[in-house]
Amino acid sequence: MPARHIAPATGRLGILTPGLGAVASTFIAGVLAARKGLMPPIGSLSQMAHIRLGTRDEQRNPLIREFVPLASLDDLVFGGWDPITTTALEAARTAGVLRGEDLAPLASELEAIVPMDAVFDRRWVSRLEGVRVKPLSSKREQAQALIDDIARFKAEQACDRLVMVWCGSTEAYQEPSAVHASVAAFAQGLEDDDPNISPSQIYAWAALQSGVPFANGAPNLTLDLPCMIELAQTCGVPIAGKDFKTGQTWMKTLLAPGIKARMLGLRGWYSTNILGNRDGEVLDAPENFKSKEVSKLGVLDAILQPSVYPDLYGQIDHVVRINYYPPRGDNKEGWDNIDIFGWLGYPMQIKVDFLCRDSILAAPIVLDLALFLDLAARAGSGGVQEWLSFYLKAPQAAGRTPAEHDLFIQQTKLKNTLREWMGELPVTHSEAG
Amino acid sequence: MPARHIAPATGRLGILTPGLGAVASTFIAGVLAARKGLMPPIGSLSQMAHIRLGTRDEQRNPLIREFVPLASLDDLVFGGWDPITTTALEAARTAGVLRGEDLAPLASELEAIVPMDAVFDRRWVSRLEGVRVKPLSSKREQAQALIDDIARFKAEQACDRLVMVWCGSTEAYQEPSAVHASVAAFAQGLEDDDPNISPSQIYAWAALQSGVPFANGAPNLTLDLPCMIELAQTCGVPIAGKDFKTGQTWMKTLLAPGIKARMLGLRGWYSTNILGNRDGEVLDAPENFKSKEVSKLGVLDAILQPSVYPDLYGQIDHVVRINYYPPRGDNKEGWDNIDIFGWLGYPMQIKVDFLCRDSILAAPIVLDLALFLDLAARAGSGGVQEWLSFYLKAPQAAGRTPAEHDLFIQQTKLKNTLREWMGELPVTHSEAG
Amino acid sequence: MPARHIAPATGRLGILTPGLGAVASTFIAGVLAARKGLMPPIGSLSQMAHIRLGTRDEQRNPLIREFVPLASLDDLVFGGWDPITTTALEAARTAGVLRGEDLAPLASELEAIVPMDAVFDRRWVSRLEGVRVKPLSSKREQAQALIDDIARFKAEQACDRLVMVWCGSTEAYQEPSAVHASVAAFAQGLEDDDPNISPSQIYAWAALQSGVPFANGAPNLTLDLPCMIELAQTCGVPIAGKDFKTGQTWMKTLLAPGIKARMLGLRGWYSTNILGNRDGEVLDAPENFKSKEVSKLGVLDAILQPSVYPDLYGQIDHVVRINYYPPRGDNKEGWDNIDIFGWLGYPMQIKVDFLCRDSILAAPIVLDLALFLDLAARAGSGGVQEWLSFYLKAPQAAGRTPAEHDLFIQQTKLKNTLREWMGELPVTHSEAG
Amino acid sequence: MPARHIAPATGRLGILTPGLGAVASTFIAGVLAARKGLMPPIGSLSQMAHIRLGTRDEQRNPLIREFVPLASLDDLVFGGWDPITTTALEAARTAGVLRGEDLAPLASELEAIVPMDAVFDRRWVSRLEGVRVKPLSSKREQAQALIDDIARFKAEQACDRLVMVWCGSTEAYQEPSAVHASVAAFAQGLEDDDPNISPSQIYAWAALQSGVPFANGAPNLTLDLPCMIELAQTCGVPIAGKDFKTGQTWMKTLLAPGIKARMLGLRGWYSTNILGNRDGEVLDAPENFKSKEVSKLGVLDAILQPSVYPDLYGQIDHVVRINYYPPRGDNKEGWDNIDIFGWLGYPMQIKVDFLCRDSILAAPIVLDLALFLDLAARAGSGGVQEWLSFYLKAPQAAGRTPAEHDLFIQQTKLKNTLREWMGELPVTHSEAG
């Protein structure tokens, strides 16, 4: 199998995050710590995982980062926009994710990262008050300002390449509308200040217009729009959305395939979350929760195929709740109750209590998406990167077949895509291979 | 890819279970109910699951049982041995797994299934008192009596083929010894009444000598012995062991791969079980618990590869406890506490409470192992069937590479083996396939 | 201490339940089973509990029902109203609380209990559709019809005395209004068809006007109204409200006093419930949930006294959620997460998962409230019976001091009231007593 | 009611702890922090709780420490013995209970507390290796050395009074023997180096001989011996044992009374603990676990009275397990599964997961026991202080009636004893009071 041509990862790679709060500051802090050798970048597939090549007997099992030409952590540069944060250090302290003693050795570097003023509109995030916001009311001007920011950052930081990863808040729910139907319609919508254009869309537009790959870490309707897919394909820029698959949904896409693997039936799945950070506060608003809910609810049907298995998965009560509960801080807790049934229809229950940490789980995903999107760009793979569905709650499909949600199929897809690009055979786990 | 030659599944298939207690009676009841159309055989991959063939676009997705030539449920005949049970109906009632109303329509058929007197030795299962036991003290005579039983059953029930699935108790822990080193040594050991030969080994010996495939549902040292592997290979008889992967270990081999997929670290895993059935009573004896413990503890290392990932999995406290707790009856409850760590080393906890039903989860595994072993026999595949590791807590490896414990790799291996045997391409989930 | 005069419990006592669904049918079935000696009335203090008299050394410890002159189970007669149910048997079957085999020996008696047509108004319970409803649109006529029903039932069933216990649905939330300010205002409101008069208020009015004690098992604003308290006092009729203290709140009023006993701080309490019965469906409507939420939220402050203990209880995030989740049926599940802190402010967490059964917990409360209200009536104790707060989520106070919520103080209050009425000394648990 | 004469709390009170590890160092740190006004002494009844006097209408509700003449925190002096610890600061750092930032302001004071060499014998605590141990092999000499230590400490620290609270390890299980039958026998046993005399007994002996009140925080057989009770009574020295009631048993004595209050049945209670501190390591030895198990198992019967309530509590499977699990450190986790049954015998389950902190819960108990024992001494109350059962897993009874385990009765007993001593009426919660 011939390998693809992939341009080498020379020079510096700038990672720009719209939203420089808990997630982005944790991400940056962890990369800085890894660079200093203080702590390995745990949770990052691109940095920590090995990949098996050939048959089991061959014993070829390199690190992914030694197998594919990824940008090195030492070559990363960080920037972003935020309507509230003054520096990455202040963001990290406010978020309270990391202990003071862990921030101390990174403080000066974090303090030097000052986000640019944000494109922000309270109509989409009613619970936050933006104070560091661009004083531009026209959407066309906002888009242009971001394009200028990107160019300036690249020049000032002497970057060879850039990627953008949305780490901002969940916006209020919306359906696609006429303004999203094509690149031309969207461009006109910017001129007309179309109310259906949200800030996250302006960021994505600016990124793609600048040839910068874009990943969407929130459930916002940012990339799942004909205009954005068209633009990404036209410009040959890789995109990947949406919504980082962290705590509860990660668990769900891990348990549901296991239940299905054993052909056990599912009667109901009740998921509740309590969290007390800025994200929890934003999601306490019903219109923002709806965006998240839709993103979270799709998972089960896609995995369980109720139309193929009506006896097992034809009648599922799937309930998802998120509650703002300040005592938790960033330490999100997800409680799932899963009602399954087996042989002769007998019911059983699985209860999962996940005491997780939102930003700790999200941070390595930011890193991996950034590095893999940059790889895709150098490999000439524009448009939707379905092989990155592994990281996303509501992944975009590249073709007509719906995207996969099963974490293990997603993982296989990711690894076999890397193997394919590098000219290696896929692993099949059959007797022969 | 050329298909294997597989002989058709003509005539009746007898399924013999040493041990006709909760698991075997639940298994038989469910097959009878499925035959009558009362309830589909939920939990059985062989009966319920579809298998994708070719690329996603081809939309070929038949039922496994329509894809490979399995014996039909209508052609199954049931028999077994038990030191206590008088009939399968009485066993089902004693076990209390199934409600009276579910047993009622099956009662006469279950009552007609009368187990043969068992080869039983309290030295190996101190908590049970056998009353329906062969009055033979010599191991050679015991083996011969079982061989005779097998032949008589086959003739009387007009079976075309037989398979045997161990559904009996966990025996006291033992290490392999000289008597297990070869077929010749074991044959001599039977003559000499070697104390290291346990009842389950005599059953396996009798089965293999009779050309009957054997699956081992308990953690006993039955098949994992040079003598048995040699015998199976010599006779061309398929074998698969050991220990049905039901509640907690099923969950563990589903969660551990998910943790590893995301390169999250693991610091400890504490598993406790409470159960109140005969199995719980047997495992309350330390020497029997040890067999189970060893079987359960191996799982994590095999999946997590601490030597490859010392930073993530190099120091794991893995504790497994089983407690006899009569209020639960057959409704086993497993509680797991999992201590993971992520980005910057921050700890998180996952707690899983699994209110399961032991026999309900085991029954479809008995069915699948029986049908797939019979398939393997007709396909000319003798010896260890590593592709059936999907069903087993401590699967045997066919070659030198250790067996896989990851439930999802096991599932892929099973399905790709079936595809291979039928001349289809393996599924790789890469962009291309 | 001189005992009160209490009239003897001669003749038959009729227990009337507005609402003859899951709770009332389970209550009746259990009393019938206890009468037949099939099963003791578990969960009933009045029937099962002993009460210590005098000092520990005296060893006097009679059953409550042998200590105070309660009506006997054999003298109870059952009746009620329901907008849906045709008979108590049909109600029990629909509810699915009790197994068929448990209902069988009681079937004919349950079938003979036919509820009267209900006073029902969908404005207050939007999720239910009443079909067995009195065809009267005027509230005055509805009240009179209920008064007539009561009198007819008493005569036909040859009852000596009656009590009424609300076992119907939760009504939409309301605040008291002018029509509730006095007996006169309420009487006029009935004439005027005041929209603020809810069905449950009409039942209570009819009961009190008929001299029938009334207990309120739902969080409805039925008795907590000046008009009702005035009427109960004027007529000398005992009343007790509101909202049966069953699963989660029972647990809360048991844990919160324990936390306070140890002077541990409380930072937050998150309670979520999943249930799938008619009650769950009704509470899925936000206006009905609000009634329940208010009833459930008051508990903590009353117990923990944040004004007395600002350091410990001055900042509590208390969240209560109820979700309709059909797979559970009547088997309600409550999950509580409790964030406490101790020495040096260090945080700890308590998580309680309560797999309970709503009607099973409520049924004995119906019995006890009925028998104790009847006792109070015979003891000449009219108005609010604060000593019955033990059974209620949001108990009414008899005087100006707020009612107690601590389950253990409530229990002491109940028992010491009985002791007092019977001329015994209270138990103090001091060294001397 | 006339008040007792209680001598005033003048001068300094020395608190001596045999065992200066996690619990004692946390206790001392918290008192120091409270003195400095850094953090109130949360969890301490003696410091934080109010006590109601008279009827509810009187509104008299003083702090306990303002109601009874307790020693002030400012007058406390700390000392102890430990076979491993060098200073209280080093102990706190090793234990890892408190964060560095919380220890910093207390460091110099903690460092100045240097434990005396211990009386230690590995026969009783096999998992620990003592290095700071008195080089005396004769038990008589050991006792004398401790008596000398006590006298020296009192003089050097200018203490007015002393109390001793055992904060050391759990010793191996033992039954009382002849040597414990009387003061005389024990004195002779010291001479004879009787092997049945454990180190904790030598400490208690030395304390009582020195007129120092003694509380026993471990499940050791220290005070529950005729010789010790005789000695305490003879010398008029207050004693209180045994085993601090912290996490799981605290919860148990809170839930069990709640279950009983409602007359719900109990079929089983399964308790498992995971902990990773020195205590967990010691309890990993079966002979030491047995001491703890016996202490923990007694609780339920005492509360539930199976002989009075055979239908409800006549058949309980009560299982207690403790597992050493290093990932937890001092953060003990207790998981309880409680199988109850209600109306018509229907089963329900309560599951409690308690993520607690062992030393954080124990520390305020050390403080309260010390202060209340000192109060008792000044009040002339020698011998067993049953009113302190509130703090203890296996409380000693003062008379023939067994000690109470119900947390709420214990609390009432404690408060009513204080009221009685101060000449106030007990609170009864009856209508009248």
Side-chain angles (χ1 to χ4, degrees), chain C residues 223-241:
Chain C
L223 296 175
D224 314 72
L225 296 168
C227 57
M228 297 299 175
I229 295 172
E230 180 191 342
L231 186 57
Q233 281 167 342
T234 312
C235 309
V237 182
I239 57 174

Side-chain angles (χ1 to χ4, degrees), chain D residues 145-157:
Chain D
L146 291 176
I147 290 170
D148 296 345
D149 283 351
I150 291 168
R152 192 180 329 105
F153 182 88
K154 190 173 179 185
E156 286 178 7
Q157 299 287 337

Side-chain angles (χ1 to χ4, degrees), chain A residues 42-43 48, chain B residues 256-267 300-301 303-317 339-341:
Chain A
I42 296 168
M48 303 284 293
Chain B
I259 291 166
K260 188 191 181 194
R262 278 292 173 88
M263 286 288 111
L264 296 166
L266 182 68
R267 180 65 191 82
L300 286 186
D301 274 9
I303 292 175
L304 297 176
Q305 301 175 280
S307 61
V308 178
Y309 297 106
D311 285 348
L312 300 175
Y313 310 118
Q315 190 199 5
I316 299 175
D317 284 297
D339 284 276
I340 62 174
F341 57 93

